[in-house]
Amino acid sequence: MGQLEGKRAVIIGASEKDNVGQVVARRFRDEGAQVTVASRNADASATFAQEIGGYSTACDITKRDDSFALATF
């Protein structure tokens, strides 16, 4: 049982191959968290989320409405 079992995590900026966001998302998943990845690149986020067994959503944090939508996802 991981330290984050039963917890949820939202990781932003995890669309680029092996960037910090993806590394963090994998680590959180490995520790038992339910992971959602969010980025401006919806296709890349969806592909990565599927790879790690998580969820994805499109979000441009520079846009207020996107940020509010992410907070209620």
Side-chain angles (χ1 to χ4, degrees):
M1 180 181 252
Q3 293 183 23
L4 299 176
E5 198 71 39
K7 304 290 184 180
R8 289 185 252 176
V10 176
I11 310 297
I12 58 173
S15 62
E16 295 295 322
K17 183 77 174 148
D18 295 326
N19 71 358
V20 172
Q22 287 192 358
V23 171
V24 170
R26 282 190 189 99
R27 180 60 190 237
F28 279 34
R29 183 234 16 225
D30 292 347
E31 289 294 329
Q34 176 187 19
V35 176
T36 298
V37 292
S39 76
R40 290 179 283 183
N41 187 334
D43 292 336
S45 290
T47 299
F48 177 65
Q50 185 175 15
E51 176 186 318
I52 66 167
Y55 301 93
S56 71
T57 187
C59 180
D60 181 346
I61 63 168
T62 66
K63 296 181 180 172
R64 183 180 176 145
D65 289 343
D66 281 10
S67 296
F68 282 127
L70 180 60
T72 60
F73 180 72

